[in-house]
Amino acid sequence: MSKIKLPFTVLRMAFSLFKFENQQIFYPFIIIIFINSLVLEILYFLPRYPLSVFFAPIIRNLWGEEYLHFPMDLVLLPKLFFYAQMGIFLFLSSFLTVLIVDMVVDVNNEKKVNFKASLQRSLGGYVYIFLYSFLSIFLFQVFNKFYSILSHHVFKIHSTTGIYFWIKKFVFYAAPYNQFLYDIFVTTVLIYIPVLIILEKRKFWGALVGNFKVLFGSFWITFILVLVPTLFYLPVLLIRDNIGSLTEITSPQIHVLVIALSFIVTTGINIFIIAAATMYCLYKNENL
Amino acid sequence: MNRLILTLVSILLFIYLFFSMLSFHGDYCAQRELWGINHEFGLIALHQESTPDYMINQLADRYQTFIKKYNGSIYAEQAELMRGDLYSFRKDFTQARLEYQKVIGPDKELSAHAEFGIAKTYELEGHWDKALATYKVIIQNYPVTSLGFSIPMYLTGHLVPSGDQKAYVDEAYGVALAFYQKIALQYPKSELEYSALRMIAICQLYQNNWSATITTLGEIVLKHPGGKGLQEAVSGINILCVTKSHNYDAAISIYEQFIQKYPEHPAVGLLKKMIKDFKFLKSKNLIIQMVPSQRAAK
């Protein structure tokens, strides 16, 4: 098969996995969405009685009184949810996402997908998956830190024309899209770690080394495997970028819907990417 | 799978209903409801010419329903105030004043806003004498509310329809200066003192009283060394000492007092450098004059 067609064939095969016959393959997605929704719901009610009895003093001290009242509480909500989501990702959703690897193997072996059995078989790799998640978050945070330092320096540019002016414009206006591209790059570079932890029962360092071995010679294939599904996040990114105008037209509660839409799409994309990477690994193993 | 989805959705729904019921009729619901009505008012205000009367009537009814629902709460009073604004917007000034009157009560911030609304209606009607009398009531009764505090400065911006504008503004700045000096004396070592000192400096700047402005800015530096006010005051002192008063000793004295009072302050290094620069200007007897730009000269 040609190298150009290969990633698209893998993506098509990964897509065909998600059929009604393999119902339990959707379980990780459903559970992750449920947990995120539950946390979002609780955070949404934080400034109100009875949760406010405990949480109001914390919010007041950390962010100020105005964030306990409508509509400023909804401005704070994405920030609170971001912190909560990091915790959920580290301890739960990354592991649940990776369960898809075991399920893909089952489908590949023409076995019936069983969520409980996959969970039991994958439990041994929980700590390594946690380390993988930690590494991903660390790399994303490194970028954020780097970008804030860069923005701070670029802010001092006073030119209103020329190359420096355009650099300043690019750094400020393209920030979410630069982060988006960086996320795609990091995901591409680390994608086989969780796959190898579950698929070949490797430990973290073994999976890290194996990841670069798989990546060597197939970086662009992997890049396309990650890029194509991630493009579905672009509309969400556009909405998030224009949340201010959207709030003006609709209502501040739109923040809640945008957060929900964001984690639903992200979870779907993550699961699909892991499934595609697993399919590619299986393909590579079979064609060695 | 359908059963799983149904169970999980039911749990989410149950939690939503549970918390919604517990917080029903609470402050948060009132805030949300009032925001919605105010938002609609904001939209109507943007399209004043094209908004039919019945929409404004509907909005007035919504305010009324809200006031009845949350009667006795601070939100009901806020809604009453907005109703006053709505009538004022419709140029029904008499009705607007009636609505504003309902708000005047124990809450000083809201009362100041209501009195301001009343004054504004007189101003819009062209009765400046009545408006001025009401503004004076605000200054008298609510001097330390955010609105009451800003009224003396607001009055300096009034355009006199006939008569001597400069004489009016000079007098208004004089009155404002006296007001803020009184506040600064009454509330020492407070945020209010800091705000009052800033206003005093602005009034003195208007009066071209450079040495007094430098003294006031010096007071800000020495009494309120924290926050961004320090940077603003130091900039003001430097500009005035260099380009207006040429009294370098004033700046040197203020900065030396500051270093003595707050030896550990992070600004000490920078102030030491400034003292050195001022001493250099003084030793060389240098005077820097502001050169008006070509555009300004034209």
Side-chain angles (χ1 to χ4, degrees):
Chain A
M1 196 183 296
S2 80
K3 272 201 164 183
I4 300 168
K5 278 186 180 173
L6 182 61
F8 297 101
T9 312
V10 172
L11 285 172
R12 208 177 312 124
M13 283 159 65
F15 189 73
S16 67
L17 290 169
F18 297 91
K19 286 186 291 196
F20 195 70
E21 296 93 81
N22 306 325
Q23 273 192 23
Q24 297 207 5
I25 211 163
F26 294 99
Y27 278 18
F29 176 77
I30 294 167
I31 295 169
I32 293 169
I33 299 300
F34 169 72
I35 292 162
N36 278 289
S37 306
L38 190 69
V39 170
L40 180 62
E41 206 168 47
I42 290 167
L43 292 176
Y44 176 67
F45 283 102
L46 276 194
R48 300 189 226 177
Y49 181 81
L51 294 176
S52 62
V53 175
F54 181 75
F55 290 103
I58 300 171
I59 295 174
R60 197 175 289 122
N61 284 337
L62 288 176
W63 292 285
E65 174 70 31
E66 68 265 36
Y67 289 102
L68 285 167
H69 305 287
F70 187 87
M72 288 307 282
D73 64 317
L74 295 167
V75 176
L76 181 67
L77 187 65
K79 200 173 189 173
L80 289 177
F81 186 73
F82 173 74
Y83 295 137
Q85 208 181 18
M86 273 219 258
I88 300 169
F89 177 74
L90 268 176
F91 292 99
L92 219 71
S93 59
S94 62
F95 178 70
L96 284 170
T97 304
V98 166
L99 285 186
I100 204 79
V101 177
D102 193 76
M103 295 176 174
V104 171
V105 174
D106 278 350
V107 176
N108 198 45
N109 295 336
E110 292 176 358
K111 283 190 203 164
K112 200 174 183 316
V113 174
N114 187 321
F115 176 75
K116 217 171 169 182
S118 293
L119 189 72
Q120 279 167 350
R121 280 196 295 267
S122 309
L123 218 52
Y126 180 84
V127 178
Y128 309 126
I129 297 296
F130 175 86
L131 289 174
Y132 154 74
S133 318
F134 190 81
L135 179 66
S136 322
I137 286 182
F138 174 74
L139 289 175
F140 293 137
Q141 290 307 311
V142 165
F143 177 81
N144 285 343
K145 190 80 199 160
F146 165 78
Y147 212 88
S148 69
I149 294 169
L150 181 73
S151 304
H152 185 75
H153 284 287
V154 164
F155 187 70
K156 290 174 187 163
I157 296 174
H158 295 295
S159 316
T160 48
T161 51
I163 184 82
Y164 288 110
F165 169 73
W166 288 107
I167 289 173
K168 186 177 179 175
K169 265 200 141 179
F170 176 77
V171 169
F172 281 119
Y173 291 107
Y177 302 95
N178 290 336
Q179 171 138 35
F180 178 72
L181 287 175
Y182 176 78
D183 288 358
I184 292 174
F185 177 75
V186 170
T187 311
T188 306
V189 169
L190 303 179
I191 190 72
Y192 297 110
I193 299 177
V195 176
L196 294 175
I197 288 170
I198 303 296
L199 196 67
E200 299 180 5
K201 305 282 175 225
R202 290 198 195 188
K203 290 181 179 170
F204 181 72
W205 289 110
L208 189 68
V209 173
N211 169 69
F212 288 112
K213 277 185 187 168
V214 180
L215 209 61
F216 186 74
S218 50
F219 177 82
W220 290 110
I221 293 170
T222 313
F223 183 75
I224 292 170
L225 289 184
V226 176
L227 176 75
V228 174
T230 313
L231 286 178
F232 284 90
Y233 189 72
L234 269 180
V236 181
L237 200 63
L238 272 172
I239 294 172
R240 286 180 65 162
D241 218 17
N242 295 296
I243 189 83
S245 329
L246 262 176
T247 309
E248 278 295 309
I249 303 164
T250 56
S251 143
Q253 270 116 326
I254 197 82
H255 280 281
V256 184
L257 288 178
V258 173
I259 294 171
L261 181 72
S262 177
F263 70 68
I264 289 170
V265 175
T266 314
T267 308
I269 290 170
N270 287 346
I271 288 178
F272 188 78
I273 289 172
I274 297 279
T278 311
M279 290 298 283
Y280 180 65
C281 270
L282 292 172
Y283 168 83
K284 237 186 156 180
N285 288 347
E286 282 168 17
N287 290 281
L288 267 177
Chain B
M1 189 167 75
N2 289 345
R3 231 175 65 188
L4 175 75
I5 294 173
L6 205 70
T7 312
L8 297 180
V9 170
S10 306
I11 293 172
L12 290 175
L13 210 65
F14 172 76
I15 292 170
Y16 182 83
L17 290 174
F18 176 73
F19 281 122
S20 295
M21 273 167 65
L22 282 179
S23 57
F24 192 64
H25 259 291
D27 279 3
Y28 190 86
C29 288
Q31 287 164 13
R32 196 174 52 192
E33 223 172 295
L34 186 59
W35 185 91
I37 310 173
N38 289 346
H39 185 65
E40 202 181 312
F41 183 19
L43 290 177
I44 286 176
L46 276 178
H47 308 99
Q48 188 175 1
E49 300 302 320
S50 58
T51 307
D53 270 357
Y54 80 90
M55 279 183 80
I56 298 174
N57 290 338
Q58 272 181 357
L59 196 65
D61 289 345
R62 280 185 71 190
Y63 274 123
Q64 193 54 44
T65 315
F66 180 90
I67 291 161
K68 270 185 192 161
K69 190 174 170 185
Y70 296 99
N71 193 20
S73 74
I74 189 160
Y75 306 108
E77 288 187 2
Q78 283 174 5
E80 203 83 68
L81 204 60
M82 291 306 292
R83 223 168 114 89
D85 286 350
L86 186 68
Y87 283 113
S88 178
F89 169 76
R90 288 176 77 174
K91 296 189 172 58
D92 186 350
F93 298 122
T94 315
Q95 186 62 36
R97 281 193 285 272
L98 283 174
E99 296 298 331
Y100 288 132
Q101 284 289 352
K102 290 180 193 167
V103 184
I104 299 170
D107 191 307
K108 290 198 168 180
E109 281 290 343
L110 279 175
S111 302
H113 272 92
E115 293 275 19
F116 182 77
I118 292 170
K120 203 75 196 161
T121 56
Y122 283 132
E123 210 180 324
L124 290 167
E125 277 181 325
H127 302 309
W128 174 246
D129 48 340
K130 283 184 182 174
L132 188 64
T134 317
Y135 285 132
K136 281 181 180 168
V137 168
I138 302 175
I139 297 171
Q140 181 83 34
N141 295 346
Y142 317 105
V144 292
T145 59
S146 56
L147 200 69
F149 186 81
S150 65
I151 293 292
M153 202 50 96
Y154 171 79
L155 292 178
T156 62
H158 173 67
L159 290 174
V160 182
S162 59
D164 189 351
Q165 177 74 32
K166 192 179 179 308
Y168 166 79
V169 177
D170 283 350
E171 195 196 330
Y173 267 109
V175 171
L177 182 63
F179 171 79
Y180 294 121
Q181 279 171 335
K182 197 174 144 196
I183 295 285
L185 277 175
Q186 273 180 342
Y187 299 91
K189 293 175 187 171
S190 66
E191 267 297 300
L192 210 58
E193 184 197 36
Y194 165 70
S195 305
L197 286 173
R198 273 192 84 230
M199 293 298 175
I200 291 169
I202 292 168
C203 293
Q204 289 165 336
L205 263 182
Y206 170 80
Q207 293 171 335
N208 292 347
N209 191 347
W210 314 128
S211 62
T213 314
I214 293 167
T215 310
T216 308
L217 291 173
E219 259 190 87
I220 294 179
V221 169
L222 294 169
K223 288 180 178 172
H224 300 275
K228 55 188 172 188
L230 179 70
Q231 198 185 348
E232 187 188 52
V234 168
S235 304
I237 291 168
N238 289 350
I239 292 168
L240 288 175
C241 286
V242 172
T243 64
K244 296 288 182 188
S245 74
H246 312 298
N247 178 7
Y248 307 131
D249 283 332
I252 294 167
S253 160
I254 292 166
Y255 299 156
E256 277 176 347
Q257 282 180 63
F258 183 90
I259 294 166
Q260 206 175 0
K261 201 170 175 187
Y262 310 104
E264 302 297 319
H265 196 283
V268 163
L270 194 67
L271 292 180
K272 276 183 180 169
K273 194 179 168 295
M274 285 176 186
I275 291 172
K276 209 174 131 192
D277 292 342
F278 275 118
K279 280 183 176 167
F280 172 78
L281 288 175
K282 194 186 163 192
S283 67
K284 300 286 175 190
N285 218 4
L286 288 172
I287 287 177
I288 299 167
Q289 291 286 359
M290 287 277 273
V291 180
S293 68
Q294 277 190 335
R295 194 187 297 168
K298 272 178 191 172

